[in-house]
Amino acid sequence: MEYFAGIDIGSTAIKIAIVDGTGRLVGHRVSASGSMFYKYAQESLAQLMAEVGVAPEALRYTVATGYGRKLFKEADENISEITANAIGARAAAQEHGEIKTIINIGGQDSKAISMDSEGNVVNFAMNDRCAAGTGKFLDVVARNLEIGVDELGEYHFKSTGTPLSINSTCAVFAESEIIGLLGNNHRVEEIVSGVHYSIAKRIVKLVKRVGIHEGIYFDGGPALNNGLVNAIENELGKPIFVPAFPQITTSLGAAVLAWESYGYESGEAV
Amino acid sequence: MNARNDHTIETPRERQGRHKAMEAVKVLDTLREYAVNPPEAMAYFYELHRRYHCDMTPMHEGKTKVGTMCIQVPYEVIDALGAAPVRLCNGFYTDDEIGGEYLPSKSCPLVKATVGAFATDHFADTPDLVVTPTTCDQKTKATGIVEEMGYPVYEMEFPRVKESEESREYWRRSVRNFTKTLSKELKTKLTRGKLKASIRKVGYAQTLYHRLNALRKAELPPISGNDMFLVTNAFFFDKTEAWSAAVERLLAEMEERVKEGIGAARKRSPRIVYTGSPPIFPNLKVPQLIEMADAVIVADESCSSNRLFNDMVSVDEWFLYDMVDAVADRYLKGCTCPVFTRNDDRIRRIVELVKEYSADGVVYQAFAGCQVYEMEQRSVLAAMEKEGIPILYLESDYSPSQLGQLTTRVEAFVESLKSRKRRQ
Ligand code: SF4
Ligand code: SF4
């Protein structure tokens, strides 16, 4: 059997996906990027291969993507995370029907991508200048509220009052706004839902820039947070689709591309 | 973890409601947080705004609601005909964003927000009839848009020249026509007794308000300018009697405070007269910045506050149509809206306020897109310079973010007033 790997080196995590000779996902792995991108990426790939039983010679083609993609010298090819995200979303949502819009919230940026029915990227908008609407920000919020990031969703749904709005567009100021709200004896629940809505509003602005179309897909680590999903759905007024493993879409896209590229190149060689 | 399908998606109306509640709560909380010695009697107004703007609790159930798009629509006439006047001038950013789809993006946020509320039909008290006076161009032009949206609109012609006898007569005729139409519409006859009672009722509210204002002349003003905006803004939609009763309680507490020397500001806080585009709840952006910078608004010249109560109806003859004319006069004469050709009256009033309330400076806000206030800043700035009154001119909109630059300018101004005070 032949295998193909996609490796997405992001600012906070390294995500790897392996697909087989039919393009089917056989394994994936998420690990922290740490300070030594390259070393961790290598190690992580080796571990995943051992886990799913892929011998080194069976790995035919590797595609790297993400911020640190240029650092991964073993890759046969590398592509931008926008393209990889689009290919991955299409693959991950196969059973769901057509995907036209992707919302991706990463560790340090967020983006909205629109694609045509062939999966080609038509337009995209990015917000990479500030951490206020990203996974990093959710980490900071959870830390200030002294709860776990994975508890944010629970608190969101427990909120019964009006969500408390966070007006600052800068993460640093937003943090002090949150501390202020806490100091004024507001409940954590309404602060959390307020944070989710403030992120949701920003993301919807991005989505509007590329056009809101039916078939909305949401991925990236923060998509695991149901509260945030709920806030975005409410702001959009539309349901969104969250894949089973929202963190690995981009690496999956890279793996699928590796598989396609290999087929294309070996086909040409014949 | 919560199941993904244990929730439903909000309807656009619910979303609109949540957005507005979030805005309102934010402002009320911030005001509370920064309040210096907040008066107890203010609780009524905080609660009222919360109920009306967050819970959408109607105030006038069972009555015909006449929505007014400007302060010039004669309140007394509507009340005397048994309907409830509800001022629709709107301060919500959420509505402003929606209104932007119907009006040029550069138009006044107040008008955009008002149109935005119509577009989503999001009112605690939905108006049965909308009255728009032809004051500024944007309000005038909004008339057609609101009508297209399916609301019955009555256009009230308003003159743009204030001094002439023709204007006065023109406006009186306009008010008489409005009275006739409304009385036909409501199938109610306007009687002397009813109009007299309404004039008394509104007049009483005005008296209370004047007394409250007079207390702000004290060395330590007993109430903050922002709280005063909450009080006057409540008059837009509250029942007049309930409003007056709450102001009576507030007044009693204020009188006590003045006697005891309790203030809503510090002695060193510079005293400010606010003027310009009307701060309408929850858009108290600039007044909040002023008071958060440790200044205190002691008076204002604005149609969402002071101008509402300036002149009282003065009747010479208690015959029905003399009374209607007297009501008309109150509005035109007392109006210092910059839509008029000349603004001498407004300038005179600002100078008077500065002197009477021993203010240290003036803050003039124009909403970006409000031509008349933007244009009149020149004449006001020149007049203040002549009088040696420090003035800060700001242009702003409804957006809750991007406060940085405004904050810096307000703080610098307040600091300069403080150092002037120290040198005196
Ligand atoms: S600013 Fe002028 S036109 Fe606008 S509501 Fe006030 S008085 Fe009316
Ligand atoms: S602020 Fe200016 S443009 Fe807006 S309603 Fe008042 S006068 Fe008209």
Side-chain angles (χ1 to χ4, degrees):
Chain A
M1 194 67 178
E2 299 175 313
Y3 293 95
F4 308 90
I7 179 157
D8 171 16
I9 306 181
S11 57
T12 49
I14 295 167
K15 282 90 48 176
I16 304 178
I18 295 181
V19 299
D20 64 15
T22 64
R24 197 177 55 91
L25 179 70
V26 293
H28 59 90
R29 193 166 193 280
V30 179
S31 53
S33 323
S35 47
M36 288 174 289
F37 280 7
Y38 174 63
K39 188 170 149 259
Y40 291 142
Q42 260 185 330
E43 279 172 15
S44 194
L45 177 60
Q47 263 199 37
L48 178 60
M49 280 165 55
E51 258 171 53
V52 295
V54 174
E57 57 281 4
L59 191 66
R60 289 293 141 80
Y61 206 85
T62 306
V63 171
T65 183
Y67 282 132
R69 64 175 183 265
K70 302 255 160 68
L71 297 171
F72 195 73
K73 309 259 167 25
E74 278 91 344
D76 297 290
E77 200 180 324
N78 66 62
I79 54 165
S80 81
E81 57 265 42
I82 305 284
T83 314
N85 206 168
I87 299 172
R90 229 178 142 223
Q94 253 164 15
E95 79 279 16
H96 172 76
E98 202 169 6
I99 291 296
K100 285 283 187 58
T101 309
I102 301 170
I103 294 171
N104 172 288
I105 303 185
Q108 303 202 328
D109 62 15
S110 46
K111 29 184 175 320
I113 304 169
S114 71
M115 34 182 210
D116 63 16
S117 45
E118 253 110 71
N120 302 307
V121 173
V122 185
N123 198 356
F124 73 92
M126 258 180 108
N127 181 358
D128 54 4
R129 245 169 283 147
C130 170
T134 66
K136 183 96 212 141
F137 183 55
L138 286 170
D139 289 343
V140 171
V141 169
R143 203 182 56 228
N144 280 315
L145 299 177
E146 295 178 354
I147 60 175
V149 190
D150 49 351
E151 287 178 279
L152 289 170
E154 229 173 277
Y155 277 95
H156 177 92
F157 288 104
K158 271 199 274 175
S159 153
T160 49
T162 303
L164 299 166
S165 34
I166 313 295
N167 289 345
S168 304
T169 42
C170 161
V172 179
F173 291 129
E175 193 180 348
S176 59
E177 242 188 285
I178 291 163
I179 296 170
L181 289 173
L182 262 183
N184 277 311
N185 296 323
H186 284 294
R187 300 197 323 153
V188 174
E189 286 83 341
E190 281 75 36
I191 301 179
V192 168
S193 62
V195 167
H196 288 159
Y197 279 112
S198 87
I199 297 178
K201 275 191 199 167
R202 295 168 137 248
I203 216 55
V204 169
K205 267 198 196 135
L206 273 190
V207 180
K208 277 195 180 144
R209 266 163 51 191
V210 303
I212 301 181
H213 306 289
E214 280 319 318
I216 305 165
Y217 178 94
F218 176 31
D219 68 5
L224 292 167
N225 174 345
N226 285 331
L228 183 59
V229 173
N230 173 248
I232 298 177
E233 284 188 328
N234 283 340
E235 286 297 333
L236 280 169
K238 287 187 166 43
I240 53 185
F241 174 77
V242 181
F245 308 107
Q247 278 175 291
I248 61 147
T249 310
T250 304
S251 60
L252 173 64
V256 169
L257 187 84
W259 167 58
E260 284 175 1
S261 283
Y262 181 75
Y264 180 73
E265 287 204 355
S266 50
E268 242 186 7
V270 173
Chain B
M1 255 226 238
N2 283 279
R4 276 249 310 120
N5 20 6
D6 64 358
H7 64 269
T8 44
I9 299 174
E10 288 172 343
T11 62
R13 206 187 148 75
E14 284 166 344
R15 178 166 62 244
Q16 174 82 349
R18 174 174 51 77
H19 282 173
K20 286 168 94 166
M22 284 171 78
E23 269 189 76
V25 163
K26 179 90 182 176
V27 171
L28 293 173
D29 282 348
T30 313
L31 285 180
R32 273 273 156 87
E33 187 185 337
Y34 286 92
V36 179
N37 298 325
E40 268 166 43
M42 274 309 293
Y44 171 85
F45 296 99
Y46 278 81
E47 196 39 41
L48 183 72
H49 281 284
R50 206 181 293 267
R51 262 171 51 220
Y52 190 73
H53 296 294
C54 300
D55 309 339
M56 303 297 282
T57 313
M59 297 285 146
H60 304 286
E61 241 160 353
K63 270 197 172 185
T64 302
K65 273 119 358 198
V66 178
T68 64
M69 293 256 290
C70 167
I71 188 184
Q72 304 317 324
V73 184
Y75 197 100
E76 293 86 347
V77 170
I78 301 171
D79 183 77
L81 286 168
V86 180
R87 176 136 169 230
L88 300 174
C89 294
N90 190 347
F92 280 92
Y93 178 54
T94 309
D95 288 324
D96 171 17
E97 281 184 303
I98 295 168
E101 291 164 24
Y102 297 85
L103 290 158
S105 60
K106 281 189 186 133
S107 31
C108 160
L110 191 159
V111 178
K112 272 191 289 176
T114 310
V115 167
F118 281 112
T120 49
D121 193 17
H122 200 266
F123 301 99
D125 279 308
T126 304
D128 300 293
L129 174 72
V130 181
V131 189
T132 68
T134 54
T135 46
C136 71
D137 288 353
Q138 307 193 39
K139 286 258 161 104
T140 307
K141 283 289 159 196
T143 308
I145 300 173
V146 173
E147 205 162 35
E148 255 171 50
M149 289 174 175
Y151 295 88
V153 176
Y154 183 93
E155 192 176 62
M156 220 175 157
E157 288 179 48
F158 189 76
R160 292 287 193 91
V161 178
K162 193 162 147 181
E163 287 79 13
S164 75
E165 196 46 42
E166 284 82 356
S167 284
R168 217 174 131 206
E169 201 32 60
Y170 174 68
W171 175 241
R172 283 177 161 190
R173 235 179 2 235
S174 199
V175 173
R176 278 180 229 146
N177 284 341
F178 169 66
T179 310
K180 276 185 207 132
T181 311
L182 192 63
S183 115
K184 229 184 270 156
E185 197 88 9
L186 296 168
K187 301 194 181 60
T188 320
K189 255 192 88 180
L190 185 68
T191 63
R192 252 172 81 181
K194 281 192 218 156
L195 187 56
K196 200 168 169 182
S198 294
I199 292 175
R200 286 247 160 86
K201 186 161 101 182
V202 177
Y204 179 62
Q206 288 180 296
T207 320
L208 290 173
Y209 179 74
H210 284 149
R211 282 173 55 200
L212 193 53
N213 263 318
L215 295 176
R216 298 164 84 187
K217 294 178 185 164
E219 196 183 358
L220 275 178
I223 184 165
S224 72
N226 278 288
D227 276 356
M228 282 301 273
F229 280 120
L230 286 188
V231 171
T232 47
N233 274 227
F235 191 80
F236 288 15
F237 55 83
D238 198 6
K239 291 195 188 74
T240 312
E241 297 86 346
W243 185 89
S244 292
V247 175
E248 272 173 9
R249 289 193 293 275
L250 184 61
L251 192 56
E253 190 182 345
M254 294 300 105
E255 276 163 352
E256 271 312 300
R257 281 161 75 104
V258 171
K259 257 188 242 146
E260 288 167 23
I262 302 172
R266 293 165 191 86
K267 217 165 166 181
R268 59 160 197 273
S269 308
R271 304 164 68 96
I272 304 285
V273 169
Y274 171 89
T275 185
S277 297
I280 290 172
F281 185 83
N283 174 49
L284 297 180
K285 193 162 146 179
V286 167
Q288 264 182 312
L289 286 183
I290 296 172
E291 297 200 326
M292 277 158 75
D294 193 26
V296 57
I297 299 171
V298 285
D300 69 88
E301 188 287 315
S302 109
C303 78
S304 63
S305 189
N306 201 323
R307 220 182 283 158
L308 209 65
F309 297 99
N310 263 331
D311 287 351
M312 292 166 65
V313 178
S314 66
V315 188
D316 311 319
E317 304 273 356
W318 293 92
F319 295 116
L320 188 57
Y321 273 87
D322 286 323
M323 276 153 70
V324 173
D325 285 354
V327 168
D329 287 351
R330 169 207 156 186
Y331 285 90
L332 186 64
K333 269 199 244 154
C335 180
T336 45
C337 182
V339 294
F340 296 117
T341 44
R342 313 250 182 299
N343 282 274
D344 306 338
D345 237 19
R346 178 163 170 247
I347 292 171
R348 215 175 301 127
R349 180 153 309 152
I350 299 169
V351 175
E352 257 170 42
L353 287 173
V354 170
K355 294 194 171 139
E356 273 181 47
Y357 288 80
S358 343
D360 300 298
V362 175
V363 174
Y364 186 133
Q365 167 182 230
F367 291 150
C370 165
Q371 287 172 355
V372 282
Y373 277 113
E374 281 176 334
M375 286 179 86
E376 278 309 324
Q377 58 114 351
R378 231 187 105 257
S379 66
V380 175
L381 254 55
M384 293 306 126
E385 197 176 328
K386 224 173 101 206
E387 295 281 334
I389 301 168
I391 179 165
L392 172 70
Y393 173 68
L394 300 169
E395 199 189 282
S396 86
D397 55 21
Y398 278 13
S399 84
S401 52
Q402 269 95 38
L403 285 174
Q405 224 239 10
L406 279 181
T407 313
T408 313
R409 296 194 57 202
V410 171
E411 280 174 355
F413 182 65
V414 171
E415 276 151 20
S416 78
L417 295 182
K418 275 187 184 165
S419 57
R420 255 174 86 117
K421 245 182 145 158
R422 272 197 299 271
R423 268 183 272 121
Q424 268 168 11

